[in-house]
Amino acid sequence: MKSDNKKQKVVSISAPANMMDFLDLWNLLVQWKTAFISVAITTFLVIVLNFHFNSPTLIYKASAIVIPSNISDSNLKLYTLESHSVFVAFDKALRSRDIRISYFNNNNLIEQFEIYNDFDKEYVFEERFNKMLSVSKHDDYRIVSFEGTDARLAAKWVNGFIEMANEDAVRVLFLPTRITLNYEIKKYKEEINNLKFNLKAMQSDSLFFEGLTVAGIKKNYWTREELELELKNLMFGLEKTETTKPSFSNISAMQFSQKAVAPSKPINRSDVKSIILSAVLSGLVLGILAVFFTDSIARARKRRDSSSHLSV
């Protein structure tokens, strides 16, 4: 029973003691309100103004999503190409340093950057463009992004670079086919010109032409009618080859799932609410510390004056 009474006594005393601590703090704040308010407001203003004038440069990130080209494209079917293999070539072009340099130079992007120091062109390309342009690889799509200070230019450069990489991939994939078709057309034209020349040189009353090779066929004797028929066939073959030649400008190694648009918000903007909250809390804490410091100085001075008075 005694120990219980003792514990109860301790509890009943400690509660008012805590209350007195808060009352003492309140009294101190009221007594030294000038110091508290001055330090709290000064701290708040310093933090807010520092954030306002020294905030980092805003960076905007524009992204586009690209997926493989539709395999139903007649041009892809014509050359038995699969959209996956074409997309692999496109992905390689996206990561090509040469393609990035070409896009940077062809569009004179160095004029678009605000340069405050004497940086050379290679440095600007590497630090301000190449490092800011990224390609994120996923199973069946790619995300191409650019981070820059201008939201509109970031989106424009992402879309433009993707289109250039697509053109390069198509050129590399279909270059052998293009060479073959051009060679066939050239051969047709040479055969036609030679045959026209031989027919013109042939005497009007001649019935035969000896030892002539036409369209890969060599005969000892050709009649005028046979040569004219072969000429007609060659011209038809040339016309067919030229008209059925696919338009490579319509072939795409990819398609946009989502084009890049100018972002409305930067990726590095600090939360204004959190800055203001931290400024308020810092002001309150430093204001209270200033009150304690001021009060301790006042008490020390008072004790010194009291001891001096007693000694007298």
Side-chain angles (χ1 to χ4, degrees), residues 29-232:
L29 293 177
V30 172
Q31 181 180 357
W32 303 105
K33 58 184 179 182
T34 302
F36 173 75
I37 293 174
S38 300
V39 172
I41 293 178
T42 302
T43 303
F44 176 82
L45 291 176
V46 167
I47 293 176
V48 172
L49 292 176
N50 180 68
F51 168 75
H52 177 73
F53 290 106
N54 298 312
S55 58
T57 303
L58 298 181
I59 302 297
Y60 297 88
K61 183 177 182 179
S63 300
I65 302 175
V66 288
I67 59 178
S69 178
N70 191 350
I71 194 60
S72 63
D73 189 331
S74 59
N75 287 320
L76 292 181
K77 281 186 173 181
L78 181 62
Y79 296 99
T80 63
L81 291 172
E82 297 180 356
S83 61
H84 175 72
S85 61
V86 176
F87 195 64
V88 169
F90 168 69
D91 178 71
K92 185 177 180 180
L94 283 177
R95 303 173 189 278
S96 169
R97 180 180 179 85
D98 291 338
I99 302 299
R100 298 185 177 206
I101 292 176
S102 296
Y103 184 78
F104 183 84
N105 291 333
N106 293 349
N107 294 278
N108 199 24
L109 297 191
I110 194 170
E111 300 294 334
Q112 305 294 332
F113 291 100
E114 295 181 3
I115 304 173
Y116 300 103
N117 297 309
D118 294 331
F119 296 134
D120 58 16
K121 192 173 184 178
E122 184 177 354
Y123 176 87
V124 175
F125 163 76
E126 191 64 41
E127 298 295 328
R128 305 287 294 276
F129 180 78
N130 193 35
K131 284 187 177 181
M132 299 296 104
L133 183 63
S134 62
V135 179
S136 178
K137 184 176 181 179
H138 300 270
D139 291 339
D140 54 352
Y141 64 95
R142 301 291 184 271
I143 299 178
V144 184
S145 304
F146 184 84
E147 297 179 9
T149 56
D150 190 309
R152 183 186 60 84
L153 287 179
K156 179 182 177 181
W157 292 350
V158 167
N159 294 330
F161 174 71
I162 289 175
E163 291 172 357
M164 173 176 276
N166 177 56
E167 292 173 1
D168 183 79
V170 170
R171 179 185 60 81
V172 172
L173 282 171
F174 294 96
L175 183 60
T177 302
R178 191 186 306 235
I179 293 175
T180 301
L181 288 174
N182 290 336
Y183 177 77
E184 290 180 1
I185 292 173
K186 181 180 178 182
K187 291 296 292 182
Y188 269 118
K189 290 181 177 180
E190 288 178 352
E191 290 278 359
I192 290 171
N193 290 333
N194 290 334
L195 194 51
K196 285 181 177 179
F197 175 81
N198 289 326
L199 282 171
K200 187 176 181 181
M202 192 176 186
Q203 295 181 7
S204 59
D205 58 347
S206 299
L207 299 177
F208 303 100
F209 201 100
E210 299 180 2
L212 185 64
T213 301
V214 179
I217 301 173
K218 184 175 182 179
K219 293 174 64 175
N220 292 329
Y221 298 99
W222 290 87
T223 65
R224 177 178 291 277
E225 288 77 12
E226 288 176 334
L227 291 178
E228 290 177 347
L229 179 60
E230 288 298 330
L231 177 61
K232 184 178 180 181

